[in-house]
């Protein structure tokens, strides 16, 4: 059986091809844009947006092509519109989470393995998707926060954090001599503690009252601060005992 092309409307066929090509170009453009924004940040989100874009474009393409061929779509469009409105009302919180998730990921506000503080809670980002962020606290507890509820974020992994140790020197201690001795000994601390990124250095006196408070500062990642402060404090106390620098507790 030979296909009879004489009854095919050429204008409709050309219009159909134009719509198809336009939708294809639109989808490829969305792929390129989302790849540029998300591929190195969160592949799960990248894939989700691409699948959603594909389904949406295919649906629009089908509606337009059916309309070109004069197929009555009003009942379908009315039904789809009603369903869409109902879904928007029911899923409004979910849609807010998704919008906020896209903002967080595209702007790189934080990512997996970052140490962040969200609404006063500090934890490590275990996972991040379009809907929620999963945090692991310092004692191992897991907290799941919907992205729309992330109002205030402090990202401690963006930059190095300044840590410090205060030494309460006796008021009678020769501060200049004590600073010289401690400064000389601090040069070996980087070899002992590889997680110190900058320093430690003598910041100087921060208080003089009943005793002299000598502050030593350093820079490290947030998750290493607590351990480093305890370790450096112990080393400094040993230095003070070794060189008879009297401390006033």
């Amino acid at each position: 059986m030979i296909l009879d092309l004489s009854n095919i409307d050429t204008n409709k066929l050309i219009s159909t091809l134009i719509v198809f090509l336009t939708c294809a170009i639109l989808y490829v453009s969305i792929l390129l844009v989302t790849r540029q924004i998300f591929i190195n940040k969160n592949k799960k989100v990248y894939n989700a947006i691409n699948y959603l874009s594909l389904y949406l474009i295919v649906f629009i393409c089908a509606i337009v092509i059916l309309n070109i061929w004069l197929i009555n779509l009003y009942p379908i469009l009315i039904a789809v519109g009603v369903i869409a409105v109902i879904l928007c009302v029911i899923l409004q919180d979910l849609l807010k989470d998704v919008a906020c998730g896209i903002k967080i990921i595209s702007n790189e506000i934080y990512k997996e393995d970052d140490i962040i503080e969200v609404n006063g809670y500090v934890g490590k980002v275990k996972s991040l998707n379009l809907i929620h962020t999963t945090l692991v606290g310092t004692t191992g507890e897991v907290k799941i926060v919907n992205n729309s509820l992330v109002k205030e974020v402090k990202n401690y992994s963006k930059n190095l954090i300044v840590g410090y140790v205060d030494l309460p020197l006796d008021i009678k201690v020769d501060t200049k001599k004590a600073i010289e001795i401690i400064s000389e000994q601090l040069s070996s601390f980087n070899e002992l503690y590889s997680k110190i990124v900058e320093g430690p250095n003598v910041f100087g006196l921060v208080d003089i009252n009943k005793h002299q408070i000598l502050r030593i500062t350093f820079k490290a990642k947030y998750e290493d601060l607590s351990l480093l402060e305890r370790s450096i404090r112990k080393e400094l106390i040993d230095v003070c005992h070794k060189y008879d620098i009297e401390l006033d507790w």
Side-chain angles (χ1 to χ4, degrees):
M1 180 178 179
I2 300 176
L3 181 64
D4 185 8
L5 301 177
S6 60
N7 295 325
I8 296 179
D9 190 323
T10 305
N11 290 332
K12 291 181 180 179
L13 183 60
I14 293 174
S15 298
T16 301
L17 289 174
I18 291 174
V19 170
F20 179 79
L21 289 174
T22 302
C23 290
I25 292 171
L26 179 60
Y27 179 61
V28 171
S29 300
I30 292 174
L31 278 181
L32 293 175
V33 172
T34 53
R35 180 181 179 83
Q36 185 72 22
I37 297 174
F38 292 104
I39 190 63
N40 294 322
K41 299 175 183 178
N42 194 309
K43 291 186 178 180
K44 292 180 181 178
V45 173
Y46 168 72
N47 292 331
I49 292 177
N50 286 340
Y51 283 128
L52 181 62
S53 301
L54 176 61
Y55 296 145
L56 183 60
I57 289 174
V58 168
F59 175 76
I60 294 173
C61 182
I63 291 295
V64 175
I65 290 174
L66 289 173
N67 188 60
I68 289 173
W69 292 92
L70 302 178
I71 296 174
N72 187 7
L73 298 176
Y74 288 110
I76 297 175
L77 291 176
I78 291 173
V80 170
V82 172
I83 293 172
V85 171
I86 294 173
L87 287 177
C88 285
V89 172
I90 295 174
L91 303 176
Q92 58 180 324
D93 290 337
L94 179 62
L95 294 175
K96 288 180 183 177
D97 289 332
V98 171
C100 291
I102 291 174
K103 179 182 176 181
I104 290 169
I105 295 168
S106 61
N107 293 330
E108 291 189 302
I109 296 174
Y110 55 83
K111 58 184 183 299
E112 291 184 4
D113 295 327
D114 279 358
I115 306 294
I116 64 173
E117 181 178 339
V118 176
N119 306 335
Y121 180 86
V122 178
K124 184 176 183 179
V125 180
K126 181 180 180 182
S127 64
L128 168 63
N129 56 40
L130 287 176
I131 300 173
H132 55 71
T133 299
T134 302
L135 301 173
V136 179
T138 54
T139 57
E141 74 278 10
V142 176
K143 186 177 181 67
I144 299 175
V145 183
N146 286 3
N147 291 332
S148 61
L149 299 178
V150 176
K151 302 300 181 183
E152 182 180 343
V153 179
K154 293 181 182 178
N155 192 332
Y156 296 113
S157 297
K158 286 283 187 180
N159 298 300
L160 297 174
I161 307 297
V162 176
Y164 66 89
V165 174
D166 286 342
L167 281 178
L169 304 181
D170 189 276
I171 196 68
K172 297 177 182 179
V173 168
D174 184 340
T175 308
K176 183 177 180 181
K177 182 178 179 181
I179 290 176
E180 289 178 356
I181 294 172
I182 292 173
S183 296
E184 183 179 346
Q185 297 301 310
L186 287 177
S187 60
S188 65
F189 281 30
N190 263 327
E191 299 175 6
L192 295 173
Y193 306 108
S194 59
K195 292 183 178 180
I196 297 176
V197 181
E198 292 183 22
N201 300 300
V202 175
F203 179 79
L205 293 175
V206 294
D207 185 26
I208 301 176
N209 196 354
K210 293 182 179 180
H211 44 229
Q212 309 175 84
I213 303 297
L214 182 65
R215 178 164 293 178
I216 289 82
T217 60
F218 63 94
K219 287 187 178 181
K221 292 181 179 179
Y222 178 83
E223 56 266 35
D224 299 326
L225 275 187
S226 181
L227 177 61
L228 287 173
E229 285 177 345
R230 293 195 301 270
S231 300
I232 291 173
R233 182 175 290 105
K234 179 181 179 302
E235 295 290 340
L236 288 172
I237 291 173
D238 290 343
V239 168
C240 289
H241 288 162
K242 180 178 178 181
Y243 290 93
D244 296 324
I245 300 172
E246 191 172 348
L247 300 174
D248 183 3
W249 300 103

